[in-house]
Amino acid sequence: MNSESSSAEVQGAAALERGLVLLDQILEGGPTASLAQIADRIPMPISTAQRLVAVFVRQGLLCRVGPGRYAGGVRMAQWNSHCDWHESLAEAARPLVTALARAVGATVHCGVLEAGMVTYLVKAHGGGQPVLTSEQSQLEAYCSGIGKALLAHQSAELQEAYLAAGPFVALTDRTTTDPDQLRRLFEQILAQGYAVDDAELQPGLYCLAVPVWAAGERVVAAVSISMRSDAPVSLTLLDPLKDCARRLGRRIGAGGA
Amino acid sequence: MNSESSSAEVQGAAALERGLVLLDQILEGGPTASLAQIADRIPMPISTAQRLVAVFVRQGLLCRVGPGRYAGGVRMAQWNSHCDWHESLAEAARPLVTALARAVGATVHCGVLEAGMVTYLVKAHGGGQPVLTSEQSQLEAYCSGIGKALLAHQSAELQEAYLAAGPFVALTDRTTTDPDQLRRLFEQILAQGYAVDDAELQPGLYCLAVPVWAAGERVVAAVSISMRSDAPVSLTLLDPLKDCARRLGRRIGAGGA
DNA sequence: TTCATTCTCTCATTCTGTGAGAGAAATTCC
DNA sequence: GGAATTTCTCTCACAGAATGAGAGAATGAA
């Protein structure tokens, strides 16, 4: 929630950047906040905040709904209708995923986490035995490589909420269903930077997954290599997979927050 | 679609403003546009556009989905979830609508147009015979004061599309159902600045409506005074009604586009 | 591979944003 | 209804930031 524009600063766009941080604060910090409070939080002089907020209101991005109350305006609503983040992500990922699938001769997925479920946005089959999944399909996170890679990089609160939500059904005899075991697994994944699925979802289906760091700051998706075989996916495939994730991360940008 | 930041400029926020215009161009102009094309349209030097776009991408507002293709990013998606324009509008309008209802001793509505239907966002009863409507309810636009006031201020294309969509059912014997007649009515409403509903929706229900100009540039809603009586609403109520609309317009901001 | 497009970076000039505080306009309280 | 309080708007001189042309690096296409 707190935007520390700590990392790499873009040259010559400080004003825009501060404005966006302010807008984010207002929208994320709930609809109730007087200019003084908002200015306090950034921090930023009141008169500067006022000048910027005036621009946002004039542009229809904010709407003054009452004294000390600002909310999204009409323009924001218009923009919303043009934005489908999942679609954008899928479009950005597709060429990279397809290329990787061809390169390694296996099936590659790109997916996101949504309310404890993994949604596959992109699937590309580049060889080997077919894998039975489809784009837009959802599945439980705890038993898939992508799901575990994503869960491991969530905040501690989200992780605990997820682990408390249970129950975790064993889909194969290798599925991890114990919350404590999952918690340790998450730590391990976080440390090593990749997650594996050794036939925990389907017998004979192995998978290797890594998170996608948006602008190197935040995990917003994951990519995985899946294949039907009789042994885990070779870790030699980790490098091309990580490379794909890194490129995707760079492409989609999205820092802050 | 074309943002002419023509009118009153805010002092000392040109950079922010240009940035927002750029962002609007990218989002409204479809996902496909190279920096050069975008810069051409503003107009703005490419290197400046690039600097601003880099900020948006870093902040997660835009996402580069391919060469010459930008779309809304994660941050935009986050903001979306915090924004409910109808709710904001209702919240901003409620105190004004309530005050007007008390002042004139009648029922006052505030509504918006949505796919050819009017949605009542706020209703306040300030005296007189009760009017049978409720907030969030929808009704056909052609036979209500608010609906006609809003339709009259739509673009010609939207009006024609609406008139062509028909059919228009007569709810009372005074309902205007002929497209040509409606078209002339719209011109008249546009010219005089207000719309009337003389028992066209329900027998004995009269109504006077005026549009709400967001920041004096664009009609985004309408307010109306309704009452059960045996004659049209007195035009002496036009002034307080217009005043209410003007104040609401100022409050919600929203220029451009 | 090579070519074409799209994007990124640098730097001197000048125009722009900055921020304190006073004043205006609301909202709330009495 | 009126007064106190909060919230918002405006002005101005200085400093520092944005600007924009063009060369160069990535990237994607053929």
Side-chain angles (χ1 to χ4, degrees):
Chain A
M1 289 232 171
N2 248 321
S3 285
E4 296 296 335
S5 41
S6 46
S7 58
E9 288 288 329
V10 167
Q11 297 291 35
L16 220 199
E17 197 123 30
R18 301 184 81 183
L20 294 178
V21 169
L22 176 75
L23 187 55
D24 188 56
Q25 278 293 320
I26 294 174
L27 291 174
E28 298 282 341
T32 300
S34 71
L35 281 178
Q37 293 175 286
I38 296 165
D40 245 26
R41 277 214 301 258
I42 303 291
M44 169 187 286
I46 296 177
S47 62
T48 300
Q50 127 70 14
R51 198 177 331 111
L52 299 179
V53 167
V55 173
F56 291 132
V57 172
R58 269 183 8 89
Q59 292 285 327
L61 284 174
L62 286 181
C63 164
R64 185 175 179 272
V65 292
R69 297 178 60 76
Y70 294 90
V74 260
R75 185 65 129 286
M76 192 69 87
Q78 278 179 41
W79 284 358
N80 291 1
S81 61
H82 293 294
C83 297
D84 184 334
W85 164 242
H86 282 182
E87 198 185 320
S88 301
L89 185 56
E91 192 175 344
R94 195 172 304 280
L96 296 171
V97 165
T98 306
L100 179 62
R102 282 201 194 127
V104 300
T107 298
V108 177
H109 289 103
C110 174
V112 294
L113 195 62
E114 198 176 24
M117 300 283 285
V118 167
T119 304
Y120 283 153
L121 294 179
V122 184
K123 172 188 178 178
H125 184 64
Q129 299 244 25
V131 175
L132 294 175
T133 56
S134 62
E135 294 185 1
Q136 300 305 326
S137 68
Q138 294 201 318
L139 70 165
E140 292 292 340
Y142 65 93
C143 53
S144 71
I146 285 187
K148 287 190 286 187
L150 288 169
L151 283 170
H153 290 84
Q154 299 300 306
S155 68
E157 301 86 57
L158 274 170
Q159 269 184 24
E160 287 307 319
Y162 179 81
L163 291 173
F168 304 104
V169 181
L171 299 184
T172 75
D173 57 357
R174 310 184 68 164
T175 310
T176 308
T177 58
D178 177 48
D180 287 326
Q181 216 172 329
L182 279 172
R183 194 178 289 113
R184 282 194 297 277
L185 201 50
F186 293 163
E187 285 173 22
Q188 185 190 341
I189 292 167
L190 198 56
Q192 68 193 13
Y194 64 89
V196 293
D197 163 16
D198 288 347
E200 296 169 49
L201 184 62
Q202 287 175 24
L205 180 63
Y206 293 86
C207 163
L208 185 65
V210 300
V212 175
W213 296 85
E217 290 178 8
R218 184 188 225 193
V219 171
V220 295
V223 286
S224 71
I225 298 177
S226 306
M227 52 178 69
R228 301 206 148 275
S229 78
D230 48 9
V233 175
S234 162
L235 286 185
T236 57
L237 295 181
L238 197 53
D239 276 341
L241 182 58
K242 279 188 167 172
D243 186 59
C244 174
R246 190 186 48 74
R247 292 161 74 113
L248 180 54
R250 277 203 55 207
R251 173 171 282 191
I252 60 185
Chain B
M1 289 238 170
N2 249 320
S3 286
E4 296 296 338
S5 41
S6 46
S7 58
E9 287 288 331
V10 167
Q11 297 289 34
L16 222 199
E17 198 125 31
R18 302 185 81 181
L20 294 178
V21 168
L22 177 74
L23 186 54
D24 188 56
Q25 278 293 322
I26 295 173
L27 292 174
E28 298 283 341
T32 301
S34 71
L35 281 179
Q37 292 174 287
I38 297 164
D40 244 25
R41 277 213 301 257
I42 303 290
M44 170 188 283
I46 297 177
S47 61
T48 301
Q50 126 68 17
R51 198 174 332 109
L52 299 180
V53 168
V55 173
F56 291 132
V57 172
R58 273 187 2 95
Q59 291 287 326
L61 284 173
L62 286 180
C63 163
R64 185 175 180 275
V65 293
R69 298 177 59 78
Y70 294 90
V74 259
R75 184 66 128 286
M76 191 70 86
Q78 277 178 42
W79 284 359
N80 290 1
S81 61
H82 293 294
C83 295
D84 184 335
W85 164 243
H86 282 182
E87 199 185 320
S88 301
L89 184 56
E91 193 176 342
R94 196 173 303 282
L96 296 171
V97 165
T98 306
L100 179 62
R102 282 198 193 129
V104 301
T107 298
V108 177
H109 288 104
C110 174
V112 295
L113 194 63
E114 198 178 24
M117 299 284 284
V118 168
T119 305
Y120 283 152
L121 293 178
V122 185
K123 172 190 179 178
H125 185 62
Q129 300 245 24
V131 175
L132 294 175
T133 55
S134 63
E135 295 185 359
Q136 300 304 326
S137 69
Q138 294 202 317
L139 69 165
E140 291 293 339
Y142 66 94
C143 52
S144 72
I146 285 187
K148 287 191 286 186
L150 288 170
L151 284 172
H153 290 84
Q154 298 301 306
S155 67
E157 300 86 59
L158 275 170
Q159 270 183 23
E160 288 307 320
Y162 179 80
L163 290 173
F168 304 104
V169 181
L171 299 183
T172 74
D173 55 358
R174 311 186 66 167
T175 310
T176 307
T177 58
D178 177 47
D180 288 325
Q181 216 171 329
L182 279 172
R183 195 179 288 113
R184 283 193 297 277
L185 200 52
F186 292 163
E187 285 173 21
Q188 185 190 339
I189 292 167
L190 199 56
Q192 68 194 9
Y194 64 88
V196 293
D197 163 15
D198 288 347
E200 296 168 51
L201 185 62
Q202 287 175 25
L205 180 63
Y206 294 86
C207 164
L208 186 64
V210 299
V212 175
W213 296 85
E217 291 177 8
R218 184 187 225 194
V219 171
V220 294
V223 285
S224 72
I225 298 177
S226 307
M227 52 177 70
R228 301 207 148 274
S229 77
D230 47 11
V233 175
S234 162
L235 286 185
T236 57
L237 294 181
L238 197 53
D239 276 342
L241 182 59
K242 279 188 168 172
D243 186 60
C244 174
R246 191 185 48 75
R247 291 158 75 112
L248 180 54
R250 276 204 54 207
R251 173 171 282 191
I252 59 183

